[in-house]
Structures are given as structure tokens and as C-alpha cells.
Amino acid sequence: MCHDRLRSDEIAITHEYIALMLGVRRPSVTTTLHVLEGKRLIRSSRGSVIVRDRRGLEALAAGCYGMPEQEFERLLGKT
């Protein structure tokens, strides 16, 4: 959803902040980001995540992406 609202493929965000937003441990975020990097969907470095394959990320989400975004747009309009 962050990528939806940016005009760049680079998201300035830390593993610690992702963990805080999701309510999970930071090491779990790091492990998951490594998996996504291995699938060549993102590139992650200190304080930054770069989306490399948006369609691949959406496919991996397997239907979990879309509904919240549609509701956000319905409530607040296209941003």
C-alpha cells in the first residue's frame, strides 16, 4: 500500500518500523524481506526497500491485496 502512494519504487522504511506497523518481531521482517529478495521481487538495504516486480508481489499475495485498497479509495477517493 505504501508503494501505491509513492511516485517511486523506493520506499524509505526500516525493518524496525515495518515490524512495529505489523506487530511482529524485527527478525521476522528481515527473514521475510530476504525471502522476497530471493524471489527477485524487492531489493532491501538499510532504511530502504525497492520494489522490483510489482506484479510478482501482487501474485504472491494471492488475493490478499486489493480489498483494503478498494475500501481506502471508496472512503477517501483516488490519491
Side-chain angles (χ1 to χ4, degrees):
M1 290 173 72
C2 291
H3 188 245
D4 292 343
R5 288 154 185 80
L6 297 173
R7 295 184 182 177
S8 170
D9 287 335
E10 183 172 3
I11 302 167
I13 194 163
T14 64
H15 295 191
E16 186 69 36
Y17 191 68
I18 294 170
L20 180 67
M21 286 192 306
L22 297 175
V24 299
R25 295 175 54 239
R26 188 207 43 79
S28 300
V29 170
T30 300
T31 299
T32 302
L33 291 175
H34 286 156
V35 169
L36 296 174
E37 283 184 293
K39 294 178 181 288
R40 304 181 69 77
L41 299 173
I42 66 162
R43 188 170 67 229
S44 179
S45 61
R46 184 182 280 294
S48 173
V49 174
I50 298 171
V51 176
R52 296 177 70 188
D53 181 354
R54 170 66 184 244
R55 292 186 197 271
L57 284 170
E58 289 179 19
L60 185 65
C64 293
Y65 176 81
M67 289 279 253
E69 294 72 21
Q70 289 172 358
E71 185 66 4
F72 180 91
E73 189 172 320
R74 184 185 74 77
L75 293 171
L76 301 176
K78 195 148 181 92
T79 58

